[in-house]
Amino acid sequence: MRVRPARADDVPALAAIAEAAYGEAFAGILEPETLAGYDRAFFEGRFAAGLASLTVAEAGGTVTGFAKTTAGHLDMLFVAPGLQGTGAGSALLADAEARGVGTLDCFRDNLPARRFYERRGWRLARSYEREFAGRSRAFVFYEKGRPTPSRAEA
C-alpha cells in the first residue's frame, strides 16, 4: 500500500470513492435526499478546489482510498467500499498522523469508523451536536497524542 499526495487526475476516482463510501457509511445516519446531494459532481468540485489537502492510498496503481486534512485536523478518510480491511485506511491514518494530524470528528452513530480510530489509539474527547445538511446532528470529537494525565498523576 502506497500513500502519496493527490494529483488532478485522481479527482474522478476520489469522487467515485467518496460518493460510494458516503452512501454506504451514512445510509443509516442521513436521509436519502440528503445523501443524494453528495454525488460525484459535488465531490469533484470540492476535491479539485482542495487538491493540496488530499492524500491517496493506492495498491497496484489503483486508488483505493483518500484522506483530507486541514491544519492538523482529519476532515475525511474513506476507503472504497469492498476494500476496507486491505490496509488503505491504516496507511492513510498513519500518514496523516506523521504529518501532525491530531484531531478528527465523525458522526456519533458511525460505529465502524469509531472502532477503527479507537483501535488505533484515538481518544474520544467529547460528544456534541452541530448543524450538518440542514439539521442538527450528533458528532464525536477524537484526539490523538499524549494521554491526558489522571488526577493521581497530575
Side-chain angles (χ1 to χ4, degrees), residues 56-88:
V56 301
E58 67 178 7
T62 300
V63 174
T64 58
F66 70 91
K68 181 180 183 311
T69 61
T70 307
H73 184 78
L74 181 65
D75 300 315
M76 302 172 87
L77 190 154
F78 286 102
V79 174
L83 296 178
Q84 290 91 357
T86 63

Side-chain angles (χ1 to χ4, degrees), residues 7-97:
R7 302 183 304 249
D9 63 336
D10 293 322
V11 169
L14 299 179
I17 290 170
E19 178 184 44
Y22 252 62
E24 183 177 278
F26 305 144
I29 298 170
L30 299 174
E31 305 76 22
E33 61 274 12
T34 300
L35 280 173
Y38 292 94
D39 61 7
R40 283 183 200 199
F42 170 83
F43 287 113
E44 283 183 3
R46 184 171 182 190
F47 295 160
L51 199 58
S53 67
L54 293 163
T55 54
V56 301
E58 67 178 7
T62 300
V63 174
T64 58
F66 70 91
K68 181 180 183 311
T69 61
T70 307
H73 184 78
L74 181 65
D75 300 315
M76 302 172 87
L77 190 154
F78 286 102
V79 174
L83 296 178
Q84 290 91 357
T86 63
S90 294
L92 287 162
L93 188 59
D95 176 75
E97 290 171 3

